[in-house]
Structures are given as C-alpha cells and as structure tokens.
Amino acid sequence: MKHLICFLVLFLISGVGSFDLVIDEIPDEVENLIDLEIDGVPSSSKMRNGRYQRSTSDWGYVGDLVEDDDKIGLYSYKVQSTITSRLANTMIQAKMVNNAKRSQHIVFDVQVPKGAFIDNFTMDVNGITFTSKIREKSEARKMYSQAKAKGKAAGIVRSNALDMENFQTEVNVPPGTRIQFELHYHEMIRRKLSSYEHIISVKPGRLAKHMEVDVRIIEPQGLRYVHVPNSLGDHFDGITTISKGEKKAHVSFKPTMAQQRKCPTCSSTAVDGNFVVQYDVNRETTGGELEIFNGYFIHFFAPENLDPLPKNILFVIDVSGSMWGLKMKQTIEAMKAILSELRAADQFSLIDFNHNVRCWRNNLVSATPAQVEDAKKYIQTIHPNGGTNINEALLRATFILNEAQNLGMLDPNSVSMIVLVSDGDPTVGELKLTTIQKNVKQSIKDEFSLFCLGIGFDVDYDFLQRIATDNRGMAQRIFGNQETSAQMKNFYNQVSTPLLKKIQFNYPQESVSDVTQSSFHNYFGGSEIVVAGKVDTENLQHLESVVTATAANAELVMETLRDVEELDGFMKKDKYADPEFTRKLWAYLTVNQMLAERNTAPTAALKRNITKSILQMSLDHHIVTPFTSMLIENAEKDEIMLADQPKDPRRGCCPGTLGLTPNAPNNNKGIPAWANVTAVPVSFMPEQRSPPVSSLSINRVDNDPHFIIYLPKSQRNICFNINSDPGKILNLVSDPGTGVVVNGQLVGAKKTENKKLNTYFGKIGFYFKNKGLKVEITTETITLKDGSYGITLTWSDTGHIIRKQLLISVKKESNVTITVGEEMSFMVLLHRVWKNHPVNVDFLGIYIPPENQFSPEAHGLIGQFASEPEVYIHHQRPGQDPGKPQATMEVKGNKLTVTRGLQKDYRTDRVLGTDVQCWFVHNSGKGFIDGHYKDYLVPHLYSFLKKP
C-alpha cells in the first residue's frame, strides 16, 4: 500500500497563517522556483512502499494525551534558549502523534523574532529523518528542479519580514504516525531602557503532556538582576523559577497539563503568548567592555555616568482620516505626556498633517512650561480628516531643522531629531515611496536622525523602517489598541536621553581586522553599542592600550579588557555556554550591516559586490539570508523542501510573499465569467434599455469616481458621481446579514484643474466578518489578513491566494478578482498613469455583479441596490447638449431630471474603456441614493455603515 506524505513549509511575515498561495509569474531572481499546492496534497509527495517505520527515538509512554477533535496529540513542547554574552541560541521542539484513523495534516508553527537567523531545522517522521543545509540560491534551484523532474517531493518557501516571521511546516501523515520537529535560530539581544529583553513566542496551540521553557544566561560581566514579567498572564503566577548566580542564571517554566488548561475542565491551553526574560549586566565606570574569545573580539559600550545632551526635536503627527477614533485619542494622550518630559534645555515644535501640512510654530522654541502648555492645547484641538501627505510633512520638518542650524540657533553639542507618527501610506502629493525616501535623505544630509512610529497593522512598516534606517534612526510598530499611548511613550523614552553624538571607535590595525560598524551618530542612555571584529591574539597588548572611543562632546574613554585567559577558562567550564558566541555575534552584526549598506548602495556594481559578500558570509556561517536557501531533505534525498527568501520588489532586497508546492491552478480557475468579459461594442440606443446582461450587467465605480448602477429588472444603467475630499472613506457595501463590508478610500490628484481637485479610489478594503478575513487593495499591493496573520502580493505578480474558501486571483498589472464560494465576487481594476504625469495619479476601480447574494439588510452606495428600487423614466426631451437628451426619473418618491450619456467600463480596455449608456443623476446621486452621500462616510477601511 502506498502512503502519501505532504510537506508544506512556510517562513512567513508576522503571523501569516497556513495559506495556499500560487504565484504564476515571479521576478527573474526566483523564476522556476515555485510549485504550489491548492487545497490539499501535492501529487509529487507520494512515499514509496515500506518507507514508514516506528521511530527509534524514545518518547516513553505516550498514552493519556489530550487530543482535540482532530485526534492529534502533543506529547511534548520544549523551548531551550541559552544566552552567552548577549547571543541567544534558541531551540523549539515539538513531538506530536496522529491518533486518528485517517491521514491528516500535522502543523508545526512557531514565531521567530524579526532579525533572528534560522540556522537549522530537522524533522523526524516515524524514524525518517530530515535535516537541513544552506545553499546558494541558484544551486538550491538546480537541486529543486532535478528533484521535481524525477517526481520527488519538493516544496518552496518564500518569506517576508515585518515585525515577526513565522516558520510553519505542515505534514500530511498516515494514522499512528509520530513526528518530531526541531527549529534552531540565533539572535543578538539588544539593550533598551537599561535592560536586555529576550522574547520567546510560546504558542503550542494545544495541551502538551510535557511542556518546558528553559532559559540559561551566561554573562562574563556579571549579572546585575534577572526578572521574568508575568507576560503569559496571571494564570501562571508562581510557576516560573529563577536561579541567579554572579555570572549565570537559570529560568525554568514547566507547567503541568492541569496548569496549562484555560479552566479545570477545558481541553484548550492557556499557554499562548510571549515568554519574556529581562536582565542587565554589571558595568565598569567607563561603560566599556572588551571580550576576546576564539579569535574574535566583542566590544560592548554603554556608559551611563554622562549628562544628557540638549535635543532639538520635531514631532510630525499624521492627522488624516484614518487616525480617527481610538488611535488619535491615544496619540494625543501620549503626546501630552511626552511634551511634559521635555527638558528646559530642549527645543521643539509640532507639525500635524493630512493632505495639508500645519505647523504649531514655524521654528523651534525652547521647552519652557508656557510653550509646553500651549503645545498641549494645540494637540488637544486636532481633529483627524483628509488624506496623507507624508512627503511634504517630512520636508517641512527637515527645512525647520536645517534653517535653525544655518542660522546658528542650535547648540553645537545638541542632538537634532524628527519623530514621525503615522498609520498609513501616502495618499496625497508624492505617492512613490522610493521618491519620498530619496527626498528625505537629500534634505536631512546625515545631519540629524529620523525616528518613525507606525500605528496599527495597516501601516507600511517596511517603508518606515527603510526611511528611518536610511537617516540614522529606527522605527517601531505601535499596535493600535488601548496600549497605544504606553507604547508610544516607551519608544520616546528610548530616544529621549542622548548622551553622546558622533561616536568613533578606534582600534589598532596591527591587532584587529574585519571590524563591523565603528562610527555611530548618537548614543542614547539605557541602550548599548556593540562592535565586533577578528583579533590577532599575539598582539593583544596593542589592543589593550590603544582601544578608545571618541565623541563630539566627550573626552577619550579607555576601555576595560576582559582577561582573555579568565574568559577562556570561564567559558570552557560552562557546558551551556556557546563556544562560538564571538564568531556568531560578529557574523550577525556583519551581515545585518551589509544588508543595510546594500539597500543604500549608490551604484549597481557596489550592490553586486555587497551581495557577493553577504552570500559568502551566509554560506560560511550556515544562516538563511535573502541570498541563500535552506534545503531540507531525508538521508536518501527522496524528499526535498526548500526554505527560501526571495527578492521583494518593494524593498529592493528581501522578500515579498510566500510560496509553496505543486500543481498551480489555471489562471482563470475559480474566476467568475463576468470578470473575464469580452469587449462588446455599445452604440447609442434611443430606448432606455442597457446592453445584454451577459456583457455589461454589473455595478461599477471607476475613475473620478463614477458610479454605474445596473438595474436587472428594468435593464437600465443609472449613473452618478461622488465628489469628496482626499482621505475620505466611502462605504460601498455594508451587509450585516452576510457580514460583508466594502469601503473605498479617496486619493487626490497632484493638483487642481479648473479649480477642482479630482479624487479617485486609491485604496479599497473588503471585510468578510464571518470568515475573519480582511483584504486591502492599493495601487501597490494586495494584502489578505486573518487576525494577526497576513500575506501580501504586489501588482507585479500573477497568482492566487486561497484562504477559508475565499479566492483572490491577481492578474499582473491588471486586476484582482475576489470570489467567495458561489455566493459573491468582486473585481478591482488597476489604472496606471505615466509616473511623471503633472496631474493624474494611479487609482482603482471596483466592479460588483448584481447577482451577488447580499442579504436584505445590505446598504451602502452600491449595496442598497441589491433590493432594486422601482424606477420610472419618462418625458424624454432634448437637453442643452444635442447628444445628451434629458428625462424625468421617478424613484423612491422623488422626481429627478436625469441626462442621457455614456460612461466607461474598463474591464476589457483599461486605456480607452468601453462605452456604457446610462441615465446620469446630478448632485452626487441625490434622490437616487438614500440620504446624502456624506451619510456614507465611514471612519475606517473596514467599518460597517451605521444606520441612521
């Protein structure tokens, strides 16, 4: 009998769930890599007879497992993490068994901290062991292609990096199968607010017979304190144990199965969150520490005995319509608290922006009590509305700082910075992110820092990270909830106390080589600077006597050299210490530095050279980077999977979406016929009837935005336009009965024409409440979200995403079709304009067939016509334009004067469109739609329409 075993590996963006994803066209860098699985098992994953055997590993007695309805038992879930001088090596292991009488999927799904390097993954399926190795991408592609050609099981993984990354493996196994997963990764623990914080995601998903989180800390500098906050909740009070010595500590969390339960009779686990360990080390008065071990040195620098420098700070706050509600309330609360913490020596100002930019003061002012109080009052008056003009807001901020510097208004020892708070993409003014990044870089000129706070899940956090890193700052995602204010204040505290500026570390060339970044713009209190390099141990006397740190506002600082023999003996005596910690830290810092340099490389030749260096480092140190892949295979090489990080077209370097296993569906699979409509010529017809239903019977919103409502019973098209402001969000469909919402956010043209600013849909959101799914479509990306999980395609892709019987089909640079079973479907059309067009911007159109099965509760600018109103058109007469006759339309108790004309359907011709006859209702559809168009404005992209 042949068994079937299916492998599905995902290495994903922040919490991306188990998506079935197909990419039919991908960039040249990764073409021929991806075969994907849709709804099940790849045909190439069949196992030969006799392949399954009992595992030789000793699991012990596996009875008494608590199983969910799927009969999958979790025998053990173990996390082991060892921190050696800030380097954390973490192993996550799960042992599971399929006790069902049928084959089914077993999933291993863990979150890996952003920036961590995955270096090993193994899997044991009934004694068949799969191990991993790192290969250059082209070699990995070749092995994959060979495996595929021979009918061997082969999978592909693509990755995207936001705040967190998921590593997910899904295996379809026969009854009785035991399986063990084991993932290894390492990262450097960063110091913030005078504390190192090690975060481990612990989400087993079910009760484990054996559950353990074991953390060991080895710090040669000595431990000042170790603390484990109750991050998993009060449910686990008193379970964690901490043993602390002078230089070592052991933290253990071992809840019994009874303690894991959400309640005494529950079969679900309460273990679902982050396990956090916080600590700090002892420091010499100089604040510097050199550790030399196994041919490498690590230089830790964290002085605390310095007076804070004055700062010149500009707060740039997004007050567009999308900030409405809790986000704005929490931002105001945080800003008032932050303003209160400004020191008397500081200078500051405020800029708030939507489609316009406003300055509280046009120049920096001293942080006197009177000025701070006035700024708080100004903040309190902000009311969010309109679009988002990030480019102009940041350029205004840089102008104020540059002007102050040119006029000699800044203390030479002061630190200048901009803090941007925003929750969305630009919708007004300059929209191209790379252009905004270039503009800001040129304006800042490396003179000051830019820090970015991205609020909510919808913000383009990648962009904020790039623009902050490019300008000597950093970014942080702020989750839009009740804790927004606290998160903002916490971030500000990290940058509120500058102690040094323009720091340069100097090392004797005869002693060291291959030193990582050694110059830094600022050093903030409570943080730490880390430099690493290779060292010639025969010349240590030079290193000890010459190593210094200089800063623009400080004297030379001599460093403390940790006794090499003492450190060597200490490390070798401890069985848990990582003997490779110096090498791994050096590689970690070096690769991350090169990735940052590659993103800002001014020439293609330099970028290629940096890429080669990153590749070599990745291979030498066995880590997955954007230029390597992890091959996962059994000893016989009968089964191969691939963990990959391909190019992301938006980032210019690293990952876009995911990818997976065989048998990609046909491009048109699951796409409704109306979305593939062929062009039907439409001539002007004297009667008030529209073209045949099969060709153009569809409700649509396109262009500026023009609404065309098709009424099937009377076979008429009724048209109206909506003129509103950039940033406003219009509800198109709000159906509580089916739980479906469709909203569109307006974006403005680059400038007015004939004293009018045209607006278009720049973003369209779909919310399928009953499925818990959200889809956001912009002119750049298509994103599917399921709770905290999400996956993104760009318009340069052609492919499909399937999730909970919802199909998203993307046609490259053309359209997106969303199909929900057989009940409803939608199409969004992309309109590209010449990028240097002086007026027009890219925009979206949406097409909704009247056959969609909305409930009687449906409303919205389009949804209200799911229940077709009675329309009577009569008294046709010549209009002012001979080609546009007028008539009287009676609808909903109103008598309206309507005009006969043509509108465009762009499904078949995105440039010229196809003419559609309709009766046009003036005054934004007044009398034809219920109420006034302003009644259809909603605060958020996924908001239901409130009933009047």
Side-chain angles (χ1 to χ4, degrees), residues 364-472:
L364 294 170
V365 299
S366 296
T368 63
Q371 295 283 20
V372 168
E373 193 60 34
D374 192 70
K376 289 181 183 179
K377 291 178 181 178
Y378 177 82
I379 288 283
Q380 195 69 49
T381 64
I382 290 176
H383 297 289
N385 65 85
T388 308
N389 194 339
I390 291 178
N391 184 67
E392 187 178 340
L394 287 177
L395 293 184
R396 183 75 62 87
T398 59
F399 173 80
I400 291 174
L401 283 176
N402 282 324
E403 184 179 46
Q405 181 166 303
N406 294 337
L407 294 174
M409 297 171 58
L410 305 183
D411 183 331
N413 282 333
S414 64
V415 171
S416 298
M417 65 182 76
I418 296 170
V419 177
L420 170 67
V421 180
S422 181
D423 76 331
D425 296 337
T427 60
V428 179
E430 179 57 60
L431 303 180
K432 192 173 182 181
L433 300 182
T434 54
T435 301
I436 297 173
Q437 188 175 348
K438 181 180 178 181
N439 291 345
V440 174
K441 176 72 172 176
Q442 290 177 343
S443 184
I444 285 181
K445 303 173 185 175
D446 290 334
E447 291 297 323
F448 38 90
S449 300
L450 171 63
F451 299 95
C452 298
L453 286 168
I455 299 181
F457 293 97
D458 301 332
V459 68
D460 189 340
Y461 184 64
D462 278 347
F463 166 65
L464 295 184
Q465 271 195 315
R466 289 197 304 275
I467 199 171
T469 304
D470 206 19
N471 293 285
R472 302 174 181 269

Side-chain angles (χ1 to χ4, degrees), residues 783-799:
T783 301
L784 171 66
K785 301 173 187 176
D786 186 353
S788 61
Y789 301 128
I791 181 172
T792 299
L793 292 176
T794 70
W795 282 100
S796 60
D797 295 318
T798 289

Side-chain angles (χ1 to χ4, degrees), residues 664-684:
N666 181 282
N667 282 354
N668 294 329
K669 178 181 177 180
I671 301 177
W674 65 267
N676 295 311
V677 64
T678 55
V680 177
V682 181
S683 58
F684 183 80

Side-chain angles (χ1 to χ4, degrees), residues 139 149 184 189 236 273 366 486 522 565 578 644 684 710 800 812 930:
E139 181 184 348
H184 294 253
I189 308 299
F236 299 104
S366 296
N522 296 310
E565 292 183 4
D578 183 355
D644 199 7
F684 183 80
Y710 177 72
H800 308 276
K812 182 177 179 180
D930 295 337

